[in-house]
Amino acid sequence: MICEGRPFVGKELKKLKQFLKKMDLEYDEGIEYSVCILNDEYEIIGTGSVDQNVIKCVAIDPGYQGQGHSATILTNLIQYEFERSRTHIFIYTKPKNFPMFSDMGFHTILQTSDVLFMENQAQGFANFLKKLRNETPKEALDKECKVGAIVANCNPFTLGHRYLIEYASSCCDYVHLFVLSDNRNVFCANDRYEMVRLGIRGIDNVILHRTWDYMISAATFPTYFFKDQMQGKEANCQLDLEIFCSKIAPELGISRRFVGTEPFCKVTDSYNHTMKKILPAYGIEIEEITRKTSGEVPVSASQVRNCLAKKEYEKVRNLVPKAVYEYLIDYFS
């Protein structure tokens, strides 16, 4: 028997969490839809879930494996995604699960010792790299160029972001600025991208990119298949950085990455520390810049969001570029 939850609640959710725990998985609070297979005693013997266009928490009871249940679950989840026009689907899972997902048409983007990252489009990542190159001026691909990179969420874009970008642009011939495309933010990906475009006016050597689904926010790393959540964050952080270092940086000739200090978010601060370990091994220099301050307080996107929530628009004016301020006022009017 198959049952669905959009998502599950109450006793059904409790049963699902208990089953996942038995399978050494944690229920991810971002789940929007789950499917479960029940035996004759109405016990869960298999399950899978989705969070936007990411399949998560797929597990089959060992006593029922080899009976086609994983194919049933994945077919159901993929159909759910397609019905919502999500045709590009991703999976973060344990490397040992490669055969199951490979048989269902998923292709490896990158694998580390702890995490396997897959998608359902054979040329998806190759097309992403091609798009990045097409967005890059030919001069910026010259091997003699000093090319840097910044990866940022910009939720929203602030004078702190502008300060970091101006510094990076003064150190490099070109700077690739990757704006994370995750939509689990106060501002959606399109709005954040537009604010960045407005905010970097006058900095002519910046090349702006969307990350789509290939570079993920430190705040949204999938950690459901780790018992230790901190270990999960570190492993997924490593995955994200290795995608950048081994795939993206060589494609664009990036030899330097710039970040701002992170006094507020422990996850992002940990990400910065991991960056300092991984990037040099790939020949990429990492430079951490002390944040721009307003008074004695570091300028942050969370500070701007707090002011916006309180409608303290005059304070916002001093924290973001003029064009971004106008965009935000129009957004909230």
Side-chain angles (χ1 to χ4, degrees), residues 57-75:
C57 299
V58 177
I60 308 296
D61 187 295
Y64 293 86
Q65 291 178 6
Q67 300 178 27
H69 294 313
S70 59
T72 299
I73 288 168
L74 288 171
T75 299

Side-chain angles (χ1 to χ4, degrees), residues 303-313 315-316 319:
Q303 182 185 8
V304 175
R305 293 195 302 272
N306 289 336
C307 290
L308 289 169
K310 297 174 183 177
K311 298 184 179 181
E312 296 174 344
Y313 298 129
K315 290 184 179 179
V316 173
L319 300 172

